[in-house]
């Protein structure tokens, strides 16, 4: 990652509270990064309104506007490339990224469960339905699968009696925003190394026992 303010492109599909946490964090110069663009797969979302309010350029590519998924991937990769990011952050982006994006940039994703439990679009609902007493959030590098990339960091959140999907997701998101900001900051300041399934910050090279 670059020594000067690192360039982040953040991808969103919804309310964008994780994006907002990053926008708030980068307002502090010591964080060492700028959000240079926000991308979305749909119009009219609060995530884009947050970008607009912050004066950050944004772009939208809807899958349904393209003849093929590959054409969508190409358009998304082209828009991201224009902003020359050091890191792409998928923060509530509800589409599987294609090979053009994934081969061009390192991409981290935040997910509302303790992966590999409950991948996919309904992680909180699935955790509640399963009856787990502890769930949480995961920040991981994105590979070609559905929430299968190497885990960078995780934090646990207890399931309370009487939780519904909304209450549990809101509690997870409170923890998730802090974790995402911490992980992105550390990756930018210290660097990160992926060795197989394992991710290390900085120059640490020790294999797990
Ligand atoms: C977050 O909880 C994120 O982990 C989740 O969507 C929420 C977005 O919230 N993403 C997924 O479920 C992806 N599989 P936000 O729009 O308020 O940041």
């Amino acid at each position: 990652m670059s020594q000067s303010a690192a360039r982040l492109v953040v991808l969103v599909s919804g309310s964008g509270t994780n994006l907002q946490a990053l926008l708030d964090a980068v307002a502090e110069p010591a964080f060492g990064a700028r959000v240079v663009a926000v991308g979305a797969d749909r119009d009219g979302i609060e995530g884009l309104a947050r970008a607009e309010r912050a004066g950050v350029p944004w772009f939208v590519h809807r899958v349904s506007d393209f003849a093929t998924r590959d054409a969508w991937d190409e358009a998304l990769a082209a828009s991201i490339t224009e902003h020359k990011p050091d890191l792409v952050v998928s923060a509530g982006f509800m589409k599987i990224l294609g090979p053009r994006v994934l081969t061009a940039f390192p991409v981290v994703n935040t997910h509302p469960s303790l992966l590999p439990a409950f991948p996919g679009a309904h992680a909180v609902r699935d955790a509640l339905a399963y009856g787990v007493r502890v769930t949480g959030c995961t920040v991981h590098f994105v590979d070609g699968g559905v929430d299968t990339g190497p885990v960078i960091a995780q934090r646990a959140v207890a399931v309370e009696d009487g939780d519904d999907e909304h209450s549990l997701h809101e509690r997870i998101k409170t923890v998730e925003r802090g974790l995402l900001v911490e992980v992105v900051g550390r990756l930018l300041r210290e660097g990160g190394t992926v060795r197989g399934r394992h991710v290390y910050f900085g120059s640490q090279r020790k294999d797990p026992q």
Side-chain angles (χ1 to χ4, degrees), residues 25-58:
V26 302
E28 176 57 54
F31 193 81
R34 285 194 298 146
V35 177
V36 291
V38 172
D41 64 330
R42 62 199 74 185
D43 299 294
I45 53 172
E46 181 61 16
L48 291 177
R50 292 178 193 278
E52 184 77 33
R53 285 196 293 273
V56 172
W58 52 268

Side-chain angles (χ1 to χ4, degrees), residues 14 25 45 49 87 120 137 190:
I45 53 172
L87 182 68
C137 50
E190 302 171 33

Side-chain angles (χ1 to χ4, degrees), residues 125-171:
R125 188 188 310 171
D126 294 345
L128 275 174
Y130 195 91
V132 294
R133 302 310 313 204
V134 177
T135 182
C137 50
T138 302
V139 180
H140 64 96
F141 280 114
V142 178
D143 62 10
V146 179
D147 302 319
T148 50
V151 169
I152 306 170
Q154 297 184 297
R155 226 161 252 173
V157 174
V159 179
E160 307 290 354
D161 291 341
D163 259 337
D164 59 17
E165 188 177 356
H166 178 76
S167 65
L168 179 56
H169 200 174
E170 286 306 307
R171 243 180 17 267

Side-chain angles (χ1 to χ4, degrees), residues 17-206:
T17 64
N18 282 282
L19 163 65
Q20 189 65 55
L22 288 167
L23 288 168
D24 294 346
V26 302
E28 176 57 54
F31 193 81
R34 285 194 298 146
V35 177
V36 291
V38 172
D41 64 330
R42 62 199 74 185
D43 299 294
I45 53 172
E46 181 61 16
L48 291 177
R50 292 178 193 278
E52 184 77 33
R53 285 196 293 273
V56 172
W58 52 268
F59 55 86
V60 175
H61 293 301
R62 301 186 319 170
V63 172
S64 57
D65 289 340
F66 293 85
T68 63
R69 191 82 182 197
D70 190 52
W72 172 77
D73 179 32
E74 193 173 346
L76 188 63
S79 290
I80 295 172
T81 301
E82 276 178 36
H83 297 282
K84 301 182 176 60
D86 296 295
L87 182 68
V88 175
V89 182
S90 163
F93 188 66
M94 302 304 279
K95 290 285 182 296
I96 304 303
L97 291 165
R100 288 169 207 265
V101 172
L102 295 178
T103 53
F105 310 101
V107 184
V108 298
N109 178 54
T110 181
H111 182 78
S113 75
L114 295 174
L115 291 170
F118 313 118
H122 306 291
V124 180
R125 188 188 310 171
D126 294 345
L128 275 174
Y130 195 91
V132 294
R133 302 310 313 204
V134 177
T135 182
C137 50
T138 302
V139 180
H140 64 96
F141 280 114
V142 178
D143 62 10
V146 179
D147 302 319
T148 50
V151 169
I152 306 170
Q154 297 184 297
R155 226 161 252 173
V157 174
V159 179
E160 307 290 354
D161 291 341
D163 259 337
D164 59 17
E165 188 177 356
H166 178 76
S167 65
L168 179 56
H169 200 174
E170 286 306 307
R171 243 180 17 267
I172 292 171
K173 282 172 66 169
T174 301
V175 174
E176 185 180 18
R177 290 189 281 267
L179 185 67
L180 181 64
V181 166
E182 184 182 312
V183 166
V184 168
R186 288 195 68 185
L187 284 176
L188 297 177
R189 286 187 300 272
E190 302 171 33
T193 305
V194 182
R195 293 180 74 196
R197 294 292 317 168
H198 302 280
V199 181
Y200 306 99
F201 289 112
S203 56
Q204 187 182 352
R205 294 288 186 278
K206 198 165 167 279

